[in-house]
Amino acid sequence: MRIVLVGPPGAGKGTQAHLLAKTLSIPHISTGDLFRANIGQGTPLGVEAKSYMDAGRLVPDEVTIGMAKDRMLQEDAAGGFLLDGFPRNLGQAKALDEFLAEQGIELDGVLDLEVPEDEVVRRIAGRRLCRNDGGHVFHVDYNAPKTEGVCDECGGELYQRSDDTEEAVRTRLEVYHTETEPIIDYYRQQGLIATIPALGKVDEVTQRAIEALKQDS
């Protein structure tokens, strides 16, 4: 299957993408992984992307699109893939359609993870990370440490990332509404959108997504 996963920050896209890709036996292709791989390997696209990032500038769509195309042409993606974080705007969505048409293939569905905005803010703004090990993550509501501000694992100080504050999250949501949300209507017009309520247990959300894909297939 060839699937696109969309949703606001804090919707759980990364978690669901990993689980869905594993369940469907297709590669999970995320924008973050594409950038890390290309920059780490020193590919021409990676070098170009790094030059923009080092200058504090946005990486142009054509660079991101080029990375995504290269990844989708790899052997393990021949039977399908799950795109997470790409396409991020209408230009990228149209470029993806053109690429798929050139390859003689089509998307099977676009899963839209739906989470109320207040819940998005609560999920992200409540996160706390350990300064000793960023892998130790807590949440003031859902996974509170035994002692406020102290990591249960190593006793390190817990802190809130600057881009996890409520103000920063609401800014990120504004960007999502402006840049990414239009692709939902774009794909809806193609009959590809399946809206998945993303509240509840992780496995419940995954099951909803699987059922939606079965209905569309």
Side-chain angles (χ1 to χ4, degrees), residues 1-4 20-22 24-29 68 71-83 99-100 105-109:
M1 298 190 83
R2 297 172 180 87
I3 305 161
V4 169
L20 287 167
K22 184 176 180 180
L24 298 170
S25 299
I26 53 178
H28 168 205
I29 301 175
R71 181 65 184 87
M72 287 183 282
L73 288 172
Q74 291 181 20
E75 186 176 348
D76 67 332
F81 48 75
L82 188 153
L83 297 173
F99 169 75
L100 295 177
I105 54 181
E106 298 178 344
L107 286 177
D108 293 293

Side-chain angles (χ1 to χ4, degrees), residues 3 12 33-34 49 65 67 72 74 76 99 118 124 127 130-132 135-136 154 160 165 167 178 188 199-200 212:
I3 305 161
D33 288 344
L34 288 176
I65 291 165
M67 290 182 182
M72 287 183 282
Q74 291 181 20
D76 67 332
F99 169 75
D118 285 346
I124 298 178
R127 288 194 301 216
C130 176
R131 288 197 185 278
N132 291 344
H136 297 158
C154 68
Q160 181 184 48
T165 64
E167 182 180 5
T178 302
R188 184 174 285 116
L199 293 178

Side-chain angles (χ1 to χ4, degrees), residues 60-124:
D61 277 355
E62 56 264 29
V63 176
T64 305
I65 291 165
M67 290 182 182
K69 286 181 178 180
D70 287 349
R71 181 65 184 87
M72 287 183 282
L73 288 172
Q74 291 181 20
E75 186 176 348
D76 67 332
F81 48 75
L82 188 153
L83 297 173
D84 166 22
F86 178 86
R88 191 178 295 274
N89 56 45
L90 272 177
Q92 292 182 5
K94 292 175 180 178
L96 174 61
D97 277 355
E98 291 173 5
F99 169 75
L100 295 177
E102 291 169 0
Q103 302 302 313
I105 54 181
E106 298 178 344
L107 286 177
D108 293 293
V110 178
L111 299 175
D112 171 28
L113 296 182
E114 187 176 67
V115 181
E117 192 160 302
D118 285 346
E119 175 62 17
V120 167
V121 174
R122 187 178 299 112
R123 286 182 179 185
I124 298 178

